[in-house]
Amino acid sequence: MAILSSLSSATLCGASVFPKVLACSSEFSTNLSSPFESSKICLTSSFPASRHPKKISTWNLTRNVAPIQGIRCHAMQVETRECFTAGKKFQLSDVIEGQQFDREMLSAIFDVAREMEKIEKSSTQSELLKGYLMATLFYEPSTRTRLSFESAMKRLGGEVLTTENAREFSSAAKGETLEDTIRTVEGYSDIIVMRHFESGAARKAAATANIPVINAGDGPGEHPTQALLDVYTIQSEIGKLDGISVALVGDLANGRTVRSLAYLLAKFKDVKIYFVSPEIVKMKDDIKDYLTSNGVKWEESSNLMEVASKCDVVYQTRIQRERFGERLDLYEAARGKYIVDKDLLGVMQEKAIIMHPLPRLDEVS
């Protein structure tokens, strides 16, 4: 029995999906200590013509230059050809929701994540993103997500501009719109990582910005980088993603991590998802409809002990008090219903794992 914590959303996945239009091929990992010497990196630029010309080409970099869509000017030789190698690529403009990923892309991202692990464990400072600035714009409290993105950026040689409570300590407190804030911040940085209290805020920010935007959680909407890490963890620990059974437990109505995870699990074959939650925080119909339309089996249950005995993964979440507003009576009615304790461990399969996106309250003893 392995008890796991999904501690980081970015150390593995946030960094691996960093540039807005970066397409990574298998040639990426030739030499991590100096990754661009005689390496070919496929990039595209999708900025408006007023900022950057569009181009799809392979750049044969002749210097140790961090390649982010031509924002920095360096001498290089350009060789135009097909940009992708089938089965070993991904291309991203923004990271907004779980639905944007397909199975092939997930596989390619995980390949890069494994290379990122080598960088993280190395005693040598990487300069992969030297000269680039990441803005972490957080309107909600965060420990793991913000610090993991910032840690990833710094480990790759980049720099960070941070606002950890933008709701209170930014011009948002003066009534500035999100769009105007994004237009300002993009002038200072090369990428924006944003957490917001409103569902859909990340999509709005991405529509406004001309630089990449990564959704680090938008209210009760989604948390795609956490889900990337969760699926990566499941694959690493269980050894597969096809044919697994997963219990999503706790606050499923407001839990953005479980929503994004459900979207990603739907990309794999013969997956079954069990929803276990108090009645007032059941999984919303949009997720159920998505799973049904994609042929994914799902079932709602009130018996965690029974479900846990069938599952490869029990993904436990807290009841989120902050989503109940002034209705603390509803919060008190929902909390404490499902607890991971020794009795639950006793019914689980030998190789099953427990995961929690944190923070943990009393739902894991």
Side-chain angles (χ1 to χ4, degrees):
M1 178 78 63
I3 302 177
L4 307 175
S5 294
S6 300
L7 293 175
S8 159
S9 341
T11 302
L12 299 180
C13 296
S16 68
V17 294
F18 169 75
K20 187 165 196 162
V21 287
L22 171 61
C24 284
S25 76
S26 58
E27 298 163 341
F28 172 78
S29 58
T30 304
N31 183 346
L32 286 172
S33 63
S34 184
F36 301 140
E37 295 175 5
S38 302
S39 296
K40 292 183 178 179
I41 306 298
C42 300
L43 295 133
T44 65
S45 174
S46 62
F47 282 161
S50 60
R51 289 172 60 90
H52 302 284
K54 294 183 180 179
K55 52 182 72 173
I56 299 178
S57 61
T58 295
W59 293 6
N60 194 9
L61 304 182
T62 57
R63 298 176 53 194
N64 193 9
V65 175
I68 299 185
Q69 52 202 1
I71 295 178
R72 303 289 188 263
C73 296
H74 298 281
M76 61 182 67
Q77 298 173 354
V78 178
E79 173 194 344
T80 301
R81 65 168 178 82
E82 278 296 318
C83 192
F84 299 127
T85 302
K88 295 185 178 181
K89 46 70 173 169
F90 63 88
Q91 183 177 8
L92 297 167
S93 294
D94 305 283
V95 178
I96 304 300
E97 59 188 9
Q99 303 95 299
Q100 75 184 83
F101 300 97
D102 58 31
R103 184 180 177 126
E104 187 179 44
M105 186 184 296
L106 290 172
S107 178
I109 289 173
F110 294 164
D111 286 343
V112 176
R114 280 184 280 272
E115 300 303 328
M116 293 294 110
E117 287 191 272
K118 296 176 184 178
I119 291 178
E120 191 272 337
K121 293 173 182 176
S122 173
S123 59
T124 304
Q125 174 70 40
S126 170
E127 295 190 348
L128 188 64
L129 297 177
K130 183 178 181 180
Y132 295 99
L133 286 170
M134 177 182 71
T136 50
L137 187 61
F138 277 58
Y139 291 82
E140 278 190 328
S142 172
T143 304
R144 282 153 294 275
T145 302
R146 184 172 65 85
L147 294 183
S148 62
F149 270 104
E150 294 180 5
S151 171
M153 187 65 176
K154 287 181 176 292
R155 287 183 186 278
L156 294 173
E159 297 294 334
V160 174
L161 305 172
T162 186
T163 301
E164 63 176 313
N165 189 358
R167 190 174 190 176
E168 184 176 350
F169 298 116
S170 77
S171 292
K174 305 173 185 177
E176 183 175 60
T177 66
L178 176 63
E179 290 86 348
D180 279 357
T181 299
I182 294 298
R183 292 184 186 107
T184 300
V185 173
E186 75 171 349
Y188 306 144
S189 58
D190 301 302
I191 186 168
I192 297 172
V193 178
M194 188 180 79
R195 169 168 288 188
H196 203 276
F197 50 87
E198 290 182 353
S199 180
R203 182 179 293 280
K204 186 186 298 184
T208 302
N210 288 310
I211 62 173
V213 172
I214 294 180
N215 179 9
D218 58 337
E222 290 203 45
H223 196 340
T225 60
Q226 176 70 57
L228 287 169
L229 179 65
D230 290 336
V231 175
Y232 182 82
T233 298
I234 293 170
Q235 184 185 64
S236 299
E237 296 295 326
I238 301 296
K240 63 178 182 177
L241 290 165
D242 291 323
I244 64 172
S245 296
V246 179
L248 302 181
V249 188
D251 190 344
L252 306 186
N254 301 305
R256 55 196 172 203
T257 63
V258 291
R259 290 174 57 81
S260 291
L261 180 55
Y263 281 127
L264 292 191
L265 289 173
K267 311 301 179 184
F268 299 92
K269 299 177 181 178
D270 301 321
V271 170
K272 183 164 185 179
I273 299 177
Y274 293 89
F275 298 125
V276 184
S277 68
E279 184 70 23
I280 195 170
V281 286
K282 293 173 63 176
M283 180 60 79
K284 295 177 181 177
D285 288 340
D286 62 332
I287 296 292
K288 299 174 187 175
D289 292 343
Y290 181 86
L291 295 177
T292 299
S293 66
N294 284 273
V296 179
K297 296 178 181 178
W298 59 270
E299 179 182 323
E300 290 184 310
S301 176
S302 59
N303 190 333
L304 178 57
M305 294 288 282
E306 179 184 352
V307 168
S309 68
K310 305 174 183 178
C311 288
D312 301 288
V313 181
V314 172
Y315 190 93
Q316 179 80 2
T317 67
R318 68 187 173 92
I319 304 298
Q320 300 186 42
R321 178 173 180 172
E322 66 270 23
R323 307 298 179 197
F324 286 82
E326 296 181 357
R327 294 300 308 271
L328 296 185
D329 56 325
L330 298 180
Y331 167 73
E332 293 297 335
R335 67 183 294 234
K337 297 292 185 185
Y338 301 105
I339 305 292
V340 172
D341 55 19
K342 288 185 178 180
D343 291 337
L344 188 76
L345 298 183
V347 304
M348 292 180 66
Q349 301 174 38
E350 181 181 355
K351 295 184 179 181
I353 62 174
I354 294 169
M355 298 175 64
H356 196 303
L358 303 179
R360 174 180 67 92
L361 302 181
D362 57 358
E363 65 280 349
V364 179
S365 69

